[in-house]
Amino acid sequence: MGYDILIEETRAGLVENKHFGIICGINEMKKQIYQVGDSQQEVFFRSAAKPIQALPLFLTNIIEKYNITEEEAALFSASHRGESYHINALESLLNKLPVVEEDLFCPPSYPLNIEPREKMIGEGKTKRRLYHNCSGKHIGFVAVCRELGYPVANYWEQDHPLQQHIVQILSTLSEVPISEIKVGIDGCGVPVFAIPLHSMALTYLKFACPDLIDDSGLKDAVVKLTRTLNHQYNMIASEHFICSILLQDPNIVAKGGAQGVYGFGLKNERIGFALKVINGSEEVWPNIVASILEQIDYKNKETIHKLRLLKPSIVKNDSGIEVGTIKETFTL
């Protein structure tokens, strides 16, 4: 496996940790123009697939039919953190759509963010499927099944018509034949897909540049979906997370997944990027993405500045004393 060192963490001048990984950048000619490590490595999308998994819904008229707000629609692609505005919008979706919480296959849980989780536990509230970070995706799955006449039962199974629809969309966007897409089971129980990293970058290029999509219906759905992501950036994770910072830049379409996977596309530059931190760390995403944007001389310096604030290069201990550094070591 061809992995390079992306990040070195030091303490008192000694290297304390190294993060290995792979990066790929694809231009509008579908040529690989940036590479760190082996971009042919197959990588599971994890939650970076959520925009793809939401497309069957955006291909229908469900949003218009049920008067779904843009804020609510963003949750179909979200890894929400369980803040009050997430829960309120999820409750609203259940009130509007022909979906009940018991339909959802994602397991009951508490919110990912510490404050709402501790608040709920302190109030004696029990875990709910709605609090799971993938609940918006699952609500969308059930809504699509009911709209298209698919059985709701076993909608999470690989051979279910909804999951077959999703893998066909992925194949179209990534240009990887369905027979070559590896399928596993994600944390929430639905199929999760692995393709070469360069094909993942191509997928995010098409999110940023939907004019590259030949299918007009799919193109329109991508435009609608990505506009929603940019307008409702805090619904995708929450404040102070990399997805929210990148998506509030109208030039960027982005989504992260578990185990260190991240994908983003730049609209004006017409480049798609995908990366994988091999040890699964998500903490160094801001450093890696900031360095990528700096190395390509990205024009919106404010976006880079916000990423640097999210994960500073100076490491401080619990008392606020500087004790080390985080340094990017890769060159595109």
Side-chain angles (χ1 to χ4, degrees), residues 155-173:
Y155 71 80
W156 54 88
E157 297 287 353
Q158 182 180 342
D159 60 355
H160 188 279
L162 172 62
Q163 301 303 331
Q164 293 296 303
H165 189 185
I166 290 168
V167 77
Q168 179 62 65
I169 291 171
L170 172 59
S171 177
T172 298
L173 295 176

Side-chain angles (χ1 to χ4, degrees), residues 7-60:
I7 299 286
E8 283 189 350
E9 298 184 54
T10 66
R11 187 179 300 266
L14 297 176
V15 175
E16 188 173 42
N17 194 10
K18 294 183 180 182
H19 298 271
F20 290 78
I22 46 180
I23 302 171
C24 180
I26 301 287
N27 70 7
E28 64 178 316
M29 304 303 293
K30 304 178 185 178
K31 290 185 59 178
Q32 185 169 282
I33 56 174
Y34 299 113
Q35 179 179 354
V36 177
D38 180 9
S39 63
Q40 298 294 324
Q41 172 69 28
E42 292 176 314
V43 172
F44 279 108
F45 270 89
R46 303 301 300 271
S47 284
K50 282 180 176 173
I52 301 164
Q53 292 166 313
L55 281 169
L57 188 142
F58 280 82
L59 283 163
T60 72

Side-chain angles (χ1 to χ4, degrees), residues 112-130:
L112 291 179
N113 276 357
I114 294 174
E115 187 174 335
R117 180 169 70 241
E118 291 183 343
K119 184 175 185 292
M120 289 178 184
I121 293 172
E123 293 173 351
K125 293 183 178 179
T126 59
K127 295 179 178 181
R128 290 180 60 182
R129 297 180 189 278
L130 204 68

